[in-house]
Amino acid sequence: MKPAARKDAGAGGGGGGGGGVSAFGVSCLDVKSFVASLVLLTLVLALWQLHPYEPLLSASRSSPSCPLLPRSPTTALSRSAAGAAEIPSANSTTSAADTTGRQTFTAAAATRPAQLPAARRSDPNKRELRPYGSAAALFVQMGAYRGGPRTFAIVGLASKPAHVYGTPYFKCEWVPNHDPAASPPPRPVRTKAYKMLPDWGYGRVYTVVVVNCTFPSNPNAGNRGGKLLVHAYYSTASRRYERFVALEEAPGSYDESRFRPPFPYEYLYCGSSLYGNLSAARMREWLAYHAHFFGPSSHFVLHDAGGVSPEVRAVLDPWVRAGRVTVQDIRQQAEYDGYYYNQFLVVNDCLHRYRHAANWTFFFDVDEYIYLPDGRSLQEVLGQLERYTQFTIEQNPMSSKLCVKDRSNDYLREWGFEKLVFRNSITGIRRDRKYAIQARNAYSTGVHMSQNVYGRTTHKTESLIRYYHYHNSINVMGEPCREFVPKPTNGSKVMFEGIPYVYDDNMKRLAGEIKRFEEDTIGEAFT
């Protein structure tokens, strides 16, 4: 039995008064609704970021260019196009029921007369500020270190205007590693941080920030490991912040014994940034002298900010191989405009990185030589200063040009401190001092001393320890002697460039011993 032929299956005519809508025919309503939907969808996609969604959709839906037939049945094609125009955005939380409701609203709204929203009148006197990019980072981390069982230090740079004129602050959070056997699972521990700005206001675009995180107790007491998270807030008036992992401890890596003596070294040297053109000969002399001065239980940490040339590297390598020197590459610091090649950043990072590496940590430059008057030993001097956390060292300023005129001398074979023997004799003026510190009692530090220490500081050390300063001699690539004068007699003074100088050969008398020490320690590397 054949199925009965459907009456509406014909091709349809061009008459205007058919009794029903053909299942496969295309009516005026269908064509216009389909075209309108496509146009609407195109406009929505093009103007998505510029206009609110609903007003644009409502205005387009009530366009008078294609009047809709009232109470007309809706075909499957028109329902599909209308549904496509109502798809929510990717970040929307609209449910399926909400979408169905919107479709019902769409069909009802199509029968209502068009209602265009009133155009907003712009105020020509209302100005708009549009930010682009960022001039300085909220925080630039260089290092993060555990300072004890319950304290940590994060060393870095931050926008100086933000910290001078604003109120950024920090919070710390310890997130322990998951322990399946623990019931209940360990919970994060939070504390408010204490920040220090140790560069004495010398910062430029960036200033140095040391963030101290001290918890009520050891957050990794179970030694299961975890992460130290820092929340860096933009301002006390805002809840905006950046969160980052500053430090991570592996399970079983915590060792409390390293925070107690004995430490790996007696003495540690933390050097400032090495930059510019440095004389390899002067670097050789400086390192040999102080390796002898501090003895075998010492270590030197140098920071290459662009000053370690191949020639300087050749001088350092024998000491690196001997385990006496570490050279850290900090050339990336040039991307962040801080004071003097970011030397405040460097010394603070070194302080905390090696906080429990030595009994005493020394801070001075590579054109400065520590000297002990009256033949004292370093152990004897530091024994007298042990009750202090920090002591500063007075300067003996030396001429970096003036030498004795003596035809019998072979100046080319003499070392710099061997022939630069004239000391500035002006007294009663303040000169820069350098210092040594028991790093485990310091929270941050500076170039000439620390202002954030636990314990006492003394400056009365001139009879115990001093330093000779050959200013800028490290940057003279050739012969340092540029002016020659007869050797003064009977303590007389020599005037040079308006400054009175006296003859001082204390360092000269040590040259032979230092040269023999160098040869015995690293061999004839430079002969």
Side-chain angles (χ1 to χ4, degrees):
M1 177 178 178
K2 295 181 180 181
R6 294 177 58 183
K7 293 182 180 181
D8 58 355
V21 179
S22 171
F24 298 95
V26 180
S27 67
C28 173
L29 173 61
D30 294 332
V31 172
K32 292 181 179 181
S33 298
F34 179 75
V35 173
S37 297
L38 289 179
V39 172
L40 171 63
L41 182 60
T42 303
L43 291 174
V44 169
L45 294 176
L47 303 177
W48 183 261
Q49 299 297 329
L50 301 179
H51 299 284
Y53 179 76
E54 288 294 345
L56 178 63
L57 191 59
S58 300
S60 300
R61 210 183 277 124
S62 59
S63 172
S65 62
C66 181
L68 301 179
L69 296 177
R71 306 180 188 277
S72 172
T74 306
T75 64
L77 181 61
S78 62
R79 284 197 303 270
S80 175
E86 292 295 330
I87 294 175
S89 64
N91 61 352
S92 171
T93 56
T94 305
S95 65
D98 294 335
T99 305
T100 304
R102 284 189 181 182
Q103 291 174 344
T104 304
F105 169 77
T106 301
T111 64
R112 295 199 297 265
Q115 295 181 354
L116 296 177
R120 295 181 179 180
R121 298 180 61 183
S122 60
D123 184 354
N125 294 319
K126 182 176 178 58
R127 305 300 301 276
E128 181 180 1
L129 304 179
R130 302 175 183 177
Y132 301 100
S134 179
L138 179 64
F139 189 76
V140 180
Q141 179 180 327
M142 183 174 184
Y145 311 101
R146 182 185 270 274
R150 62 190 187 97
T151 185
F152 300 83
I154 301 93
V155 182
L157 297 167
S159 166
K160 181 178 179 179
H163 281 269
V164 172
Y165 301 107
T167 56
Y169 66 100
F170 300 87
K171 290 183 179 180
C172 306
E173 178 182 12
W174 178 266
V175 180
N177 288 340
H178 177 65
D179 185 358
S183 181
R187 302 180 62 182
V189 184
R190 298 178 178 87
T191 187
K192 189 169 183 179
Y194 175 71
K195 73 173 184 180
M196 290 160 279
L197 308 179
D199 64 4
W200 301 355
Y202 284 117
R204 291 164 59 86
V205 175
Y206 284 95
T207 190
V208 178
V209 179
V210 177
V211 180
N212 178 276
C213 302
T214 299
F215 293 90
S217 61
N218 184 1
N220 190 22
N223 214 352
R224 65 170 59 94
K227 298 179 179 66
L228 176 66
L229 275 63
V230 174
H231 301 244
Y233 287 81
Y234 286 85
S235 168
T236 55
S238 169
R239 297 297 298 169
R240 287 180 62 218
Y241 68 91
E242 306 293 338
R243 188 175 74 163
F244 58 90
V245 177
L247 178 146
E248 186 170 358
E249 286 185 348
S253 63
Y254 173 71
D255 181 8
E256 189 168 336
S257 66
R258 67 189 182 93
F259 304 122
R260 300 188 299 267
F263 300 122
Y265 304 105
E266 286 291 330
Y267 316 113
L268 184 90
Y269 169 79
C270 277
S272 293
S273 308
L274 297 177
Y275 61 89
N277 295 321
L278 301 182
S279 167
R282 302 292 86 77
M283 281 297 301
R284 171 199 176 184
E285 298 159 7
W286 180 92
L287 191 50
Y289 176 90
H290 288 99
H292 175 268
F293 178 87
F294 287 115
S297 184
S298 63
H299 195 76
F300 298 82
V301 182
L302 306 177
H303 297 89
D304 176 18
V308 179
S309 63
E311 294 78 14
V312 172
R313 172 64 69 173
V315 167
L316 302 179
D317 279 345
W319 296 101
V320 172
R321 291 192 294 267
R324 301 293 305 273
V325 172
T326 295
V327 181
Q328 296 186 352
D329 184 346
I330 61 161
R331 298 188 182 209
Q332 190 185 0
Q333 62 79 34
E335 299 179 17
Y336 305 96
D337 185 14
Y339 175 76
Y340 231 81
Y341 298 85
N342 283 304
Q343 62 175 324
F344 280 94
L345 173 68
V346 167
V347 295
N348 275 280
D349 182 81
C350 189
L351 172 80
H352 287 285
R353 187 180 185 91
Y354 297 96
R355 193 179 191 205
H356 298 94
N359 291 321
W360 287 96
T361 301
F362 284 76
F363 295 86
F364 56 98
D365 292 330
V366 292
D367 59 358
E368 299 167 344
Y369 290 69
I370 306 297
Y371 176 77
L372 303 176
D374 303 326
R376 293 185 177 92
S377 68
L378 183 58
Q379 186 176 7
E380 176 188 354
V381 169
L382 295 182
Q384 297 183 48
L385 298 170
E386 190 174 9
R387 64 184 183 274
Y388 299 100
T389 291
Q390 174 181 230
F391 64 86
T392 61
I393 309 171
E394 188 168 320
Q395 176 185 163
N396 285 342
M398 303 294 288
S399 171
S400 298
K401 300 179 181 179
L402 203 57
C403 296
V404 172
K405 185 177 182 180
D406 187 348
R407 296 184 182 275
S408 64
N409 283 359
D410 186 357
Y411 289 102
L412 296 180
R413 296 186 63 84
E414 287 187 332
W415 284 11
F417 66 82
E418 190 177 2
K419 51 192 171 185
L420 295 171
V421 291
F422 286 94
R423 175 169 51 86
N424 185 328
S425 63
I426 298 176
T427 60
I429 62 173
R430 181 192 174 278
R431 293 189 173 94
D432 288 338
R433 302 172 76 99
K434 295 303 165 69
Y435 68 103
I437 198 168
Q438 296 188 51
R440 60 192 177 277
N441 294 327
Y443 305 108
S444 66
T445 197
V447 174
H448 298 290
M449 64 174 290
S450 171
Q451 292 181 321
N452 298 95
V453 298
Y454 175 79
R456 295 188 298 167
T457 297
T458 181
H459 305 287
K460 298 183 180 300
T461 60
E462 56 274 3
S463 64
L464 298 174
I465 185 170
R466 306 177 74 94
Y467 76 93
Y468 281 85
H469 187 194
Y470 303 87
H471 184 60
N472 285 340
S473 62
I474 193 69
N475 303 118
V476 178
M477 305 305 290
E479 172 59 48
C481 294
R482 283 160 285 177
E483 294 289 338
F484 294 88
V485 295
K487 181 179 178 179
T489 59
N490 300 323
S492 61
K493 298 179 180 179
V494 174
M495 293 297 297
F496 178 66
E497 296 181 341
I499 298 173
Y501 288 93
V502 296
Y503 183 79
D504 184 339
D505 64 351
N506 286 329
M507 294 292 293
K508 179 181 179 67
R509 291 198 297 265
L510 298 173
E513 182 180 352
I514 304 304
K515 293 176 182 178
R516 289 189 295 272
F517 165 78
E518 180 195 54
E519 183 176 349
D520 293 341
T521 306
I522 61 172
E524 299 180 357
F526 308 109
T527 57

